[in-house]
Amino acid sequence: MLKTKILVVEDESPILTGLVDLLEDEGFEVVAASDGAEAVRLHKSEHPDLILLDIMIPEKSGYDVCREVREADPMVPILILTAKGQEVDKVVGLELGADDYIVKPFGTRELLARIRAALRRRHSHLKGKRDLSPIRFGRVEVDPRTMTVTRGKREFPVTPREIEILRLFLAREGEVIDRFTFLDEIWGIGYEGTTRTLDQHIAQLRKKIEEKPSRPRHILTVHGVGYRFNG
């Protein structure tokens, strides 16, 4: 039986060695890269099931790697590893198609939980549970086959997770959905990240589907609880 393959991209040798040892001990097959150019080559040749991607790496930055990988492969989960705490860095990663970010230093339990949740989502897509039917509301149309969202005459790339968020909204249109429901249903039961991860995904989604993201008409914030969707 083939092992799940993870590509780890990290230029600090002690951290890279530690991650490789941890993941191999957990039963994963691991391929490693210490710079961005090597990471892109290994993605093409090794076809990993998931990528752990540091941002501050030589040759090509993690942002460039994320962009190139996502253009070639819209489905592989990309988890960004970053020592940077600034919100702008996290947002840029999400805009480029990363699925999640993990800020260093992180615990092994948190890291493994995030990896397993991302792999469960990927497995469900590969087993044919992915819904490819288009999503339409207002002036917006989302095409899961091309991973694009069209609003009027403008087109934007959309990530698998953004599509999952929209489908949950549509299934419960008009209802208030609390943040932990999103984390459980979209990120996976037992997700140990923060609700801020969700808020940043919503902010990026609003840029694509709202005429005025600062004054949204489709995704409304219910302060202290979560969000409500109006089609």
Side-chain angles (χ1 to χ4, degrees):
M1 184 174 180
L2 293 176
K3 290 183 177 181
T4 298
K5 184 183 296 185
I6 296 178
L7 169 59
V8 180
V9 188
E10 168 64 64
D11 68 323
E12 294 186 42
S13 182
I15 296 177
L16 179 59
T17 299
L19 288 170
V20 171
D21 289 345
L22 169 68
L23 294 172
E24 288 182 341
D25 286 346
E26 292 294 320
F28 297 109
E29 179 182 351
V30 183
V31 290
S34 57
D35 66 66
E38 184 181 14
V40 172
R41 289 195 299 271
L42 285 174
H43 170 258
K44 291 179 180 178
S45 64
E46 297 291 334
H47 307 291
D49 300 295
L50 181 141
I51 300 174
L52 287 181
L53 176 62
D54 189 31
I55 291 300
M56 303 301 291
I57 52 177
E59 300 296 332
K60 293 184 179 184
S61 74
Y63 297 132
D64 291 333
V65 173
C66 186
R67 182 188 299 108
E68 290 188 38
V69 167
R70 189 52 78 217
E71 288 175 355
D73 185 347
M75 296 306 298
V76 64
I78 301 174
L79 277 60
I80 285 181
L81 304 176
T82 177
K84 292 179 148 186
Q86 294 93 338
E87 187 158 309
V88 63
D89 297 309
K90 301 169 186 175
V91 169
V92 168
L94 297 175
E95 286 180 334
L96 294 175
D99 293 87
D100 205 352
Y101 62 86
I102 304 173
V103 179
K104 301 175 185 176
F106 48 81
T108 57
R109 185 167 174 263
E110 175 192 7
L111 176 64
L112 292 171
R114 304 265 194 115
I115 288 172
R116 288 176 177 135
L119 289 171
R120 283 196 299 271
R121 290 192 303 273
R122 183 178 189 274
H123 180 70
S124 69
H125 291 322
L126 294 178
K127 294 294 284 186
K129 296 180 182 178
R130 184 179 172 216
D131 186 352
L132 294 176
S133 60
I135 301 170
R136 299 185 181 92
F137 55 90
R139 299 180 65 233
V140 176
E141 179 169 342
V142 182
D143 187 346
R145 295 182 183 276
T146 60
M147 303 300 292
T148 57
V149 55
T150 304
R151 173 169 49 82
K153 295 182 179 180
R154 300 191 65 185
E155 185 175 281
F156 307 86
V158 67
T159 69
R161 181 161 291 154
E162 288 169 343
I163 291 176
E164 291 179 29
I165 291 172
L166 282 174
R167 289 206 187 281
L168 178 57
F169 271 134
L170 287 168
R172 299 177 58 173
E173 185 173 356
E175 297 180 29
V176 176
I177 309 176
D178 66 78
R179 287 178 170 82
F180 292 103
T181 296
F182 279 103
L183 293 180
D184 282 349
E185 296 199 20
I186 305 300
W187 273 260
I189 298 295
Y191 177 79
E192 298 182 11
T194 67
T195 58
R196 189 62 187 141
T197 298
L198 167 66
D199 296 338
Q200 289 173 336
H201 275 80
I202 294 294
Q204 301 316 307
L205 190 53
R206 278 174 169 158
K207 292 179 181 179
K208 301 173 184 181
I209 70 169
E210 302 283 4
E211 296 286 348
K212 297 180 179 180
S214 61
R215 298 174 60 187
R217 58 164 293 196
H218 296 297
I219 301 178
L220 307 180
T221 300
V222 180
H223 294 287
V225 183
Y227 297 95
R228 184 176 71 247
F229 181 77
N230 291 328

